[in-house]
């Protein structure tokens, strides 16, 4: 009987050891690819016919490089802006055509991104991604990155719908705060099948970072500024300072273990940083010629340089960009609606000066006897 018991015990241990999996494998079991709709067209296509000698097509920050010999006859290539249906990604997406041709040589797809688009993530966490014919997005793990040129490059033998996505990201409920206010930060990521044998693994859900074995290693830190942090795993509560500091925007960073493809473990570390702008309780923000100007009392040379009356909706400011700006809504009641330029009730008036080149007004009398004129818009 002892021999039988020993045999059964050894058999049970062998079965247990054979079924035991690594933490990464256990966590990957719950990851399922997510099928998403194809994006609708949102803009005109840019097209070009390229023949056997090769060529390039560029539009909207996307470049296609067709090497010589990739096609055997002239082909009409196009870049078509479409809706991005990849959850958790706000990047531009494009339909690259023709879609049903297998190129004889790999063609090159290049996406350019702006520096501001790395806020909350990092350049080495950006990947090109495409949607296959069955509706699944796939992450291009071999994405080539040029941080100086801010480009993402991949080689492919076929076209489809393309975009780019960050594998990890800090999400915040606000990026601008008044002094003393709080912002909630959370670490999010796109699930992919890390142990998949496929070159471009399918993308799963966009969810809270849930790799349980690595959460204790996450570290939140102030990168710059006088704000305070209250870390809690994948979450962090940021409290803005009660007075403006010399550093603005303030920077919050999180250190996260990420998958090391070569070693098949989480020995790599990514540093994600998000900027948080702290403002006083009264401030004015406006955009002129594509440049955003933010004005607060700390920018003032005198106590009178920024005046606002909510009841009369009157703003008079010397802006930090060097401009003088006057905005007034006319009438007795105000709300969130459009106010066309004019000098009657429910209309608005604006005067911008101090540019050293021109003054701009929305209503004027061009000569003493001429009729009053109003700009279009509001």
């Amino acid at each position: 009987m002892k021999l039988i018991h020993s045999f059964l015990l050894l058999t049970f241990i062998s079965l247990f050891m054979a079924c035991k999996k690594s933490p990464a494998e256990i966590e990957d079991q719950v990851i399922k690819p997510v099928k998403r709709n194809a994006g609708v067209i949102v803009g005109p296509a840019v097209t070009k016919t390229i023949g056997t000698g090769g060529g390039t097509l560029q539009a909207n920050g996307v470049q296609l490089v067709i090497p010589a010999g990739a096609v055997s006859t002239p082909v009409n290539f196009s870049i078509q802006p479409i809706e991005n249906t990849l959850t958790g990604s706000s990047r531009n997406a494009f339909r690259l055509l023709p879609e049903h041709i297998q190129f004889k040589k790999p063609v090159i797809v290049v996406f350019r991104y702006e520096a501001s688009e790395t806020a909350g993530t990092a350049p080495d966490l950006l990947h090109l991604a495409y949607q296959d014919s069955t509706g699944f997005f796939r992450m291009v793990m071999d994405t080539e990155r040029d941080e100086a040129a801010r480009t993402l490059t991949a080689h492919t033998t076929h076209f489809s719908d393309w975009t780019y996505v960050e594998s990890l990201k800090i999400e915040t409920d606000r990026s601008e705060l008044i002094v003393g206010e709080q912002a909630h930060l959370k670490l999010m990521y796109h699930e992919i099948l890390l142990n998949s044998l496929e070159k471009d693994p399918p993308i799963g859900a966009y969810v809270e970072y849930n790799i349980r074995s690595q959460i204790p290693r996450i570290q939140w830190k102030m990168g710059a500024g006088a704000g305070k942090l209250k870390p809690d795993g994948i979450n962090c509560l940021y409290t803005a300072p009660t007075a403006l500091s010399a550093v603005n925007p303030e920077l919050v960073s999180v250190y996260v273990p990420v998958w090391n493809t070569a070693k098949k473990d989480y020995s790599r570390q990514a540093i994600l940083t998000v900027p948080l702008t702290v403002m006083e309780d009264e401030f004015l923000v406006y955009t002129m010629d594509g440049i955003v100007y933010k004005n607060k009392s700390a920018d003032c040379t005198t106590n009178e340089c920024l005046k606002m009356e909510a009841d009369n909706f009157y703003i008079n400011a010397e802006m930090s960009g060097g401009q003088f700006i006057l905005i007034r809504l006319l009438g007795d009641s105000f709300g969130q609606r459009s106010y066309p330029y004019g000098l009657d009730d429910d209309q608005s008036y604006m005067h911008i000066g101090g540019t050293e080149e021109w003054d701009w007004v929305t209503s004027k009398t061009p000569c003493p006897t001429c009729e009053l004129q109003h700009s279009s818009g509001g």
Side-chain angles (χ1 to χ4, degrees), residues 238-378:
Y238 164 84
T239 302
T242 55
L244 295 180
S245 65
V247 178
N248 208 355
E250 302 207 332
L251 303 177
V252 178
S253 298
V254 60
Y255 295 69
V256 189
V258 293
W259 185 254
N260 187 324
T261 305
K263 295 184 177 180
K264 305 298 181 184
D265 60 15
Y266 287 93
S267 56
R268 285 181 58 217
Q269 186 181 62
I271 304 174
L272 290 66
T273 300
V274 63
L276 299 173
T277 301
V278 182
M279 309 291 289
E280 291 187 336
D281 58 357
E282 282 193 344
F283 60 92
L284 177 63
V285 179
Y286 76 106
T287 303
M288 186 169 70
D289 292 336
I291 301 175
V292 178
Y293 297 96
K294 299 179 181 180
N295 207 79
K296 49 193 180 296
S297 62
D299 298 322
C300 293
T301 55
T302 69
N303 292 332
E304 300 296 317
C305 78
L306 180 58
K307 289 195 221 176
M308 288 183 272
E309 296 179 13
D311 293 340
N312 198 27
F313 206 92
Y314 175 89
I315 298 174
N316 188 8
E318 295 174 13
M319 299 301 293
S320 56
Q323 295 87 23
F324 160 85
I325 186 168
L326 167 67
I327 302 172
R328 184 159 193 174
L329 305 185
L330 305 175
D332 297 324
S333 63
F334 309 102
Q336 187 174 345
R337 61 181 186 271
S338 296
Y339 296 84
Y341 293 133
L343 296 178
D344 295 327
D345 286 353
D346 295 324
Q347 293 184 333
S348 62
Y349 175 82
M350 185 183 298
H351 176 197
I352 298 177
T355 64
E356 298 182 357
E357 295 180 4
W358 43 261
D359 274 18
W360 184 79
V361 293
T362 56
S363 299
K364 69 174 183 176
T365 304
C367 57
T369 58
C370 299
E371 294 185 2
L372 185 67
Q373 296 179 357
H374 305 296
S375 297
S376 60

Side-chain angles (χ1 to χ4, degrees), residues 78-91:
S78 69
I79 301 173
Q80 175 84 65
I82 61 170
E83 173 194 14
N84 186 357
T85 61
L86 180 55
T87 312
S89 171
S90 59
R91 316 300 185 183

Side-chain angles (χ1 to χ4, degrees), residues 161-278:
D161 294 350
W162 285 69
T163 184
Y164 61 100
V165 63
E166 58 277 85
S167 53
L168 277 170
K169 180 181 180 181
I170 300 173
E171 279 202 352
T172 177
D173 58 355
R174 60 182 65 190
S175 58
E176 292 186 351
L177 304 87
I178 295 174
V179 288
E181 279 193 326
Q182 294 181 324
H184 293 85
L185 285 63
K186 180 178 293 186
L187 186 60
M188 305 288 290
Y189 85 131
H190 285 89
E191 293 182 314
I192 59 170
L193 302 176
L194 292 176
N195 293 331
S196 173
L197 298 178
E198 298 176 82
K199 178 183 176 183
D200 301 332
I203 299 176
Y206 178 64
V207 295
E208 298 177 1
Y209 183 92
N210 58 14
I211 304 174
R212 296 183 297 275
S213 61
Q214 302 305 314
I215 290 177
R217 298 175 58 196
I218 293 174
Q219 299 180 58
W220 294 88
K221 297 180 180 180
M222 283 298 303
K228 303 297 182 183
L229 299 181
K230 186 179 179 180
D232 182 19
I234 66 169
N235 298 285
C236 185
L237 179 66
Y238 164 84
T239 302
T242 55
L244 295 180
S245 65
V247 178
N248 208 355
E250 302 207 332
L251 303 177
V252 178
S253 298
V254 60
Y255 295 69
V256 189
V258 293
W259 185 254
N260 187 324
T261 305
K263 295 184 177 180
K264 305 298 181 184
D265 60 15
Y266 287 93
S267 56
R268 285 181 58 217
Q269 186 181 62
I271 304 174
L272 290 66
T273 300
V274 63
L276 299 173
T277 301
V278 182

Side-chain angles (χ1 to χ4, degrees), residues 11-82:
T11 302
F12 175 76
I13 292 173
S14 299
L15 287 172
F16 176 77
M17 293 300 292
C19 295
K20 189 176 181 180
K21 297 184 178 181
S22 69
E25 289 175 323
I26 292 171
E27 289 168 347
D28 286 344
Q29 279 184 318
V30 300
I31 298 176
K32 294 182 179 179
V34 177
K35 184 178 291 188
R36 296 170 171 92
N37 295 329
V40 299
I41 294 173
V42 296
V46 176
T47 62
K48 183 179 181 181
T49 300
I50 298 176
T52 57
T56 62
L57 172 61
Q58 186 167 329
N60 301 308
V62 180
Q63 183 182 42
L64 305 180
V65 180
I66 315 300
V71 293
S72 55
T73 59
V75 172
N76 192 32
F77 290 88
S78 69
I79 301 173
Q80 175 84 65
I82 61 170

